[in-house]
Amino acid sequence: MSHDSEPTPLSAAPGAPLRGRLRPPGDKSISHRAMILGLLSIGETRVEGLLEGDDVLRTAAAARALGASMERLGEGRWVVRGVGIGGLSDPAETLDFGNAGTGSRLMMGVVGGQPVTATFDGDASLRSRPMRRILDPLRLMGTQVLAEAEGGRVPLTLRGPREAIPIRYETPAASAQIKSAVLLAGLNAPGTTTVIEAAATRDHTERMLRLFGAEVSVTPHGPDGHGRAVALTGQPTLRGTEVVVPADPSSAAFPLVAALIVPGSEITIEGVMMNPLRTGLITTLIEMGADIERLREREEGGETVADLRVRASRLKGVDVPAERAPAMIDEYPVLAVAAAFAQGTTRMNGLHELRVKESDRLAAVAAGLKANGVAHLIEGDDLLVHGDGTAPPGGGTVTTHLDHRIAMAFLVMGLATAEPVTVDDGAMIATSFPSFLPTMQALGAGIGE
Ligand code: S3P
């Protein structure tokens, strides 16, 4: 359950401009949800473009252990046969989610709302992450927590009730994972389960629940209307359907920033999901002066997607408002890299949630910047990165702390620093972007062992 294979150090060296086209893998958030709603529905769910990264494969294995059957028809093409709400069976073994926060937390919502008992565990990163934010609302819904590691962490064992109790719950943090866990538990509650969030977070669960036949209403909430009240009518019959997974904007972020900072680059990233609750990085980079064109905007699988043409750009420092954080929460490591090449200071406000990601990302980013000679400062929950518009020295080794996004962000940095950048372990890249290395190499990037 720990990450006990040998670490895989990787290095990135500055080199020629990046050129070409790529399609990033399927969106991780949507891929997890496709497997989960496939399990909870009756009949067949056909998925196209599934991200076949370790995180999603763990969720698929857990869905299978809870009763779903599935078949892989080809690359990214899966059929899931579900058991329906109330039809889950006790898994024979511990559900091992590896590195996957989203998979484990959403599945806790599923198990917590159904009459089954399951034990959740994961790697050293997952074992360090807070789960009380999920267990607290689940307890209100009738879930028994039979065992938990100190501080409300995995390994933990849940037993759900025959029927969950519908609740109205205000999330204590802007977190789509908390919202989703409560809604998924609410699927087996007689009545309306409502989640109130002070700031809107990614809405893939709401959208996909509707696609599978549930009734979900979403209304603006709070004095400024930035929040949302999401209300789900419990005990629907979910019916298997077709899910087309668009390319993941959080994975697209890495080649995108690479093309901006490597002089002379021009690349096109195809089919990227443009859901406004996921595009905060693009908004920020354009404010910084990035040359990013959105081409061929179209609908795919219920989401707007576009091809992004990206050209190397002179960037300037900007102030990133805290309100934007939910729409770019996974993109701060690579934004910090872009900021290191910008002229002036980039101030990223309100990053407290970064402390509880796959690693303490605020600390990991700061350490990586330091190792590579980039001036920066942490002020409370804000990160300030100072650039002078020239390439930072590089030459450092970055500790990734089992965090895929720390690994990819600093490899991107090493494509344009004066000296190469090394990351101590790139193994976790396989959780979200298994083809990262060949994809980047095909653009001309000098990344390797
Ligand atoms: C995700 C929500 C975010 C994000 C994670 C995926 C999701 O986490 O960081 O990578 O799919 O719901 P939080 O909900 O904890 O912010």
Side-chain angles (χ1 to χ4, degrees):
M1 253 150 269
S2 58
H3 168 58
D4 44 25
S5 53
E6 282 295 299
T8 313
L10 293 172
S11 293
L18 305 182
R19 291 288 160 94
R21 304 177 74 86
L22 72 140
R23 187 184 164 95
D27 186 69
K28 183 150 78 75
S29 294
I30 293 182
S31 296
H32 280 300
R33 287 159 173 83
M35 289 292 147
I36 289 173
L37 292 190
L39 161 71
L40 290 171
S41 58
I42 310 270
E44 270 187 16
T45 293
R46 292 187 166 260
V47 189
E48 295 281 337
L50 186 84
L51 164 65
E52 294 175 324
D54 287 351
D55 278 13
V56 174
L57 297 179
R58 302 276 184 164
T59 297
R64 209 181 272 124
L66 288 160
S69 62
M70 36 186 98
E71 203 180 325
R72 180 178 188 268
L73 303 178
E75 200 186 325
R77 292 176 53 227
W78 289 60
V79 181
V80 184
R81 289 180 195 85
V83 292
I85 296 165
L88 275 63
S89 31
D90 285 354
E93 286 173 7
T94 294
L95 305 178
D96 181 356
F97 280 92
N99 197 250
T102 304
S104 60
R105 288 178 171 146
L106 269 53
M107 206 59 107
M108 284 177 202
V110 171
V111 167
Q114 311 269 331
V116 282
T117 303
T119 298
F120 294 74
D121 203 355
D123 69 7
S125 159
L126 196 66
R127 282 182 171 202
S128 74
R129 299 183 70 181
M131 297 300 171
R132 269 197 193 134
R133 51 178 54 201
I134 305 296
L135 302 182
D136 287 348
L138 288 182
R139 283 188 171 105
L140 298 174
M141 300 180 85
T143 311
Q144 294 177 63
V145 181
L146 301 180
E148 65 191 292
E150 209 186 318
R153 296 179 204 278
V154 297
L156 61 81
T157 303
L158 302 184
R159 179 185 291 157
R162 197 176 54 79
E163 282 187 331
I165 301 164
I167 59 169
R168 183 181 167 86
Y169 191 70
E170 287 191 31
T171 57
S175 162
Q177 294 178 356
I178 303 176
K179 170 176 65 179
S180 301
V182 173
L183 292 174
L184 289 167
L187 282 172
N188 193 32
T192 304
T193 295
T194 306
V195 180
I196 311 285
E197 45 182 11
T201 62
R202 66 189 68 195
D203 58 358
H204 309 303
T205 300
E206 299 89 300
R207 284 169 178 253
M208 209 183 282
L209 279 168
R210 283 200 192 116
L211 184 69
F212 279 76
E215 208 177 295
V216 183
S217 79
V218 181
T219 43
H221 184 83
D224 50 11
H226 288 324
R228 295 281 184 273
V230 182
L232 166 76
T233 306
Q235 299 183 324
T237 301
L238 300 182
R239 297 201 187 280
T241 183
E242 206 156 299
V243 180
V244 180
V245 185
D248 194 330
S250 299
S251 295
F254 299 104
L256 194 161
V257 168
L260 291 175
I261 62 175
V262 176
S265 297
E266 176 175 336
I267 66 167
T268 302
I269 313 176
E270 295 173 356
V272 182
M273 177 164 60
M274 289 288 121
N275 181 316
L277 295 169
R278 298 288 299 280
T279 49
L281 175 73
I282 295 175
T283 306
T284 303
L285 289 170
I286 289 174
E287 287 174 3
M288 294 171 81
D291 183 348
I292 303 171
E293 278 180 273
R294 288 164 71 142
L295 307 174
R296 291 205 320 124
E297 278 197 34
R298 57 209 186 263
E299 288 288 305
E300 253 181 35
E303 294 279 359
T304 302
V305 303
D307 298 344
L308 302 178
R309 183 153 67 211
V310 188
R311 296 188 181 92
S313 306
R314 278 181 185 283
L315 303 175
K316 62 177 196 308
V318 295
D319 220 66
V320 189
E323 302 82 72
R324 200 178 288 161
M328 54 178 297
I329 194 66
D330 292 334
E331 280 64 81
Y332 286 103
V334 80
L335 176 62
V337 166
F341 291 81
Q343 169 85 51
T345 297
T346 298
R347 181 180 191 112
M348 300 164 229
N349 295 283
L351 303 190
H352 46 278
E353 276 295 301
L354 286 202
R355 298 189 191 275
V356 291
K357 293 297 175 189
E358 284 83 333
S359 66
D360 175 345
R361 278 193 183 149
L362 199 46
V365 167
L369 294 173
K370 182 167 184 224
N372 290 290
V374 179
H376 65 282
L377 189 65
I378 293 178
E379 268 184 19
D381 289 333
D382 304 341
L383 173 64
L384 286 77
V385 178
H386 308 294
D388 62 8
T390 64
T397 296
V398 178
T399 309
T400 53
H401 301 283
L402 296 178
D403 190 328
H404 54 135
R405 298 200 202 279
I406 297 298
M408 288 186 278
F410 282 97
L411 288 170
V412 164
M413 186 178 198
L415 298 176
T417 41
E419 298 294 329
V421 171
T422 300
V423 301
D424 69 334
D425 185 11
M428 286 300 130
I429 292 172
T431 62
S432 68
F433 198 161
S435 58
F436 176 74
L437 240 59
T439 299
M440 296 301 292
Q441 287 163 349
L443 298 172
I447 301 181
E449 290 187 15

